[in-house]
């Protein structure tokens, strides 16, 4: 937890009354903007999380390099996530609460404080970065439900926004997180910065400005001609078949067939995100189309229990952490069976 004895608050000389009132008002606004809502319905005990920057990772051919920044500015598309991930762990180990004002960013340190402005309507809010993402359609930030509601993003799903990092506030939450303080202590430190009663550490020298990576190319898929099917057409099955517990994950498994090409191949080495396994290629193809916006997706044919199985996978990814980020995002979007498998 945040230790007041080891992190004393700076005492500053009194300011003129008007300035004091302005700073106090700003403190109230920032605390209200970052604080959680009483009706958020968070699950379990709060998890303090850790201060985290993270190693470079690669998704769909694009390398992301997390780095510590304190004056980050970025313009792009914002999206939001909520019910599918509510109560689960974020990338820095906190418990996600869709009722708090938080967000996911691809490279900023966690936690960090940014102001997000909806350029379509002029609305703005302050959020605390505590998660990684997003990776679909070149979006730059994923907002919690409450933050998205304040910017009027929920209705359309996305919005054109500007991100402005708050330097002193980001330094303050870093100090608190490094000393074990959780979200509540971080929010209190942000309010103290706004009121002039907190002096965070000096800003470190920035090494390089962040340049958003180019969007990954859309996955290509060629539908096999009906006259030359690469799978049996008379295989009985229910409409949707969940992945059976005995379905192999691909480690040392048999040669599989890529339904996109109709040729036998072995999956490339690396880590994949498997979203489901089906008894018919038609059901597998439906899910492959649904998840294709999350990355390069393919259908691999194998066998389990003496019958054909068609697995939908995204990848490969170079590390399990990179694949795990995609799996988490799929779970947030309702694909609860998404999991990382290694080949």
């Amino acid at each position: 937890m945040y230790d007041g004895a080891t992190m004393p608050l700076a005492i500053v000389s009194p300011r003129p009354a008007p300035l004091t009132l302005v700073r106090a008002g700003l403190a109230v606004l920032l605390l209200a903007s970052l604080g959680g809502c009483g009706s958020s319905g968070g699950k379990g005990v709060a998890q303090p999380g850790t201060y985290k920057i993270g190693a470079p990772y690669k998704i769909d051919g694009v390398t992301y390099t997390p780095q510590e920044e304190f004056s980050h500015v970025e313009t792009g598309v914002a999206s939001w996530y909520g019910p599918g991930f509510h109560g689960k762990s974020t990338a820095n180990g906190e418990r996600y609460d869709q009722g708090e004002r938080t967000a996911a960013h691809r490279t900023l340190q966690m936690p960090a404080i940014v102001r997000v402005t909806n350029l379509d309507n002029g609305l703005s809010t302050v959020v605390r970065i505590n998660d990684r993402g997003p990776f679909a359609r070149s979006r730059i930030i994923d907002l919690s439900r409450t933050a998205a509601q304040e910017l009027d993003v929920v209705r359309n799903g996305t919005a054109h926004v500007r991100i402005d990092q708050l330097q002193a506030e980001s330094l303050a939450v870093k100090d608190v997180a490094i000393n074990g303080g959780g979200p509540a202590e971080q929010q209190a430190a942000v309010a103290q910065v706004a009121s002039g009663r907190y002096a965070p550490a000096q800003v470190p020298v920035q090494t390089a400005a962040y340049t958003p990576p180019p969007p990954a190319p859309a996955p290509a898929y060629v539908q096999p001609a009906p006259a030359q099917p690469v799978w049996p057409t008379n295989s009985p099955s229910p409409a949707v078949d969940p992945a059976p517990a005995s379905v192999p994950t691909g480690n040392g498994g048999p040669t599989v067939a890529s339904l996109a090409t109709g040729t036998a191949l072995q999956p490339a080495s690396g880590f994949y995100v498997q979203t489901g396994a089906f008894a018919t290629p038609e059901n597998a193809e439906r899910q492959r189309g649904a998840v294709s916006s999350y990355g390069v997706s393919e259908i691999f044919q194998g066998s389990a229990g003496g019958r054909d199985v068609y697995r939908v996978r995204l990848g490969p990814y170079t590390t399990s952490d990179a694949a795990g980020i995609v799996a988490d995002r799929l779970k947030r979007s309702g694909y609860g069976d998404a999991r990382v498998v290694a080949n």
Side-chain angles (χ1 to χ4, degrees):
M1 300 297 287
Y2 174 67
D3 187 352
T6 60
M7 297 181 62
L9 301 180
I11 304 300
V12 297
S13 58
R15 292 177 170 80
L19 180 58
T20 302
L21 291 175
V22 171
R23 299 289 288 182
L26 180 58
V28 172
L29 289 175
L30 280 171
L31 185 58
S33 182
L34 284 168
C37 297
S39 59
S40 62
K43 300 177 182 179
V45 179
Q47 297 174 178
T50 60
Y51 184 74
K52 183 175 180 180
I53 299 175
Y57 60 95
K58 188 175 184 179
I59 292 183
D60 292 343
V62 179
T63 298
Y64 300 91
T65 304
Q67 58 184 332
E68 186 179 68
E69 297 186 69
F70 296 95
S71 57
H72 183 83
V73 178
E74 190 176 1
T75 301
V77 177
S79 52
W80 69 277
Y81 65 109
F85 198 62
H86 186 62
K88 298 179 182 178
S89 293
T90 65
N92 76 332
E94 293 182 18
R95 192 178 299 280
Y96 174 70
D97 186 339
Q98 63 179 346
E100 293 184 354
R101 292 162 183 85
T102 58
H105 191 270
R106 296 173 295 188
T107 59
L108 280 174
Q109 71 270 23
M110 301 172 285
I113 306 297
V114 301
R115 175 180 288 108
V116 184
T117 302
N118 186 336
L119 298 178
D120 298 326
N121 57 25
L123 297 173
S124 68
T125 190
V126 177
V127 300
R128 191 170 54 86
I129 304 296
N130 68 345
D131 206 358
R132 281 282 174 253
F135 303 104
R137 300 185 182 92
S138 302
R139 297 169 188 170
I140 63 171
I141 194 168
D142 228 359
L143 303 166
S144 68
R145 182 180 180 88
T146 289
Q149 287 173 330
E150 293 184 343
L151 297 180
D152 195 21
V153 176
V154 174
R155 178 176 53 185
N156 294 327
T158 60
H160 192 227
V161 302
R162 175 186 171 94
I163 297 173
D164 292 279
Q165 187 174 12
L166 303 184
Q167 183 180 96
E169 288 80 356
S170 293
L171 282 163
V173 295
K174 172 188 175 180
D175 289 348
V176 175
I178 287 177
N179 283 273
E185 290 86 355
Q186 293 167 28
Q187 292 160 12
V190 168
Q192 290 171 350
V193 169
S195 65
R197 295 184 294 109
Y198 189 92
Q202 185 177 359
V203 180
V205 176
Q206 299 295 302
T207 57
Y210 170 71
T211 301
Y221 180 80
V222 179
Q223 179 69 33
Q228 297 179 342
V230 296
W231 56 73
T233 59
N234 59 352
S235 176
S237 68
V240 178
D241 304 296
S246 60
V247 173
T249 62
N251 294 327
T255 299
V256 297
S258 169
L259 300 187
T261 61
T263 58
L265 53 83
Q266 189 76 13
S269 61
F271 297 90
Y272 289 80
V273 177
Q274 181 166 307
T275 62
F278 303 85
T280 65
E282 293 82 5
N283 289 337
E285 171 57 24
R286 277 195 290 270
Q287 186 172 92
R288 190 209 68 80
V291 302
S292 61
S293 63
Y294 292 87
V296 178
S297 59
E298 291 191 68
I299 300 172
F300 294 99
Q301 181 181 1
S303 62
R307 63 179 232 182
D308 289 336
V309 175
Y310 302 88
R311 303 183 182 94
V312 180
R313 292 180 177 177
L314 287 81
Y317 303 97
T318 54
T319 67
S320 60
D321 286 344
I325 291 172
V326 178
D328 282 345
R329 188 51 45 82
L330 283 159
K331 289 177 181 177
R332 296 173 196 176
S333 301
Y335 298 96
D337 293 331
R339 66 181 187 275
V340 177
V341 297
N343 185 63

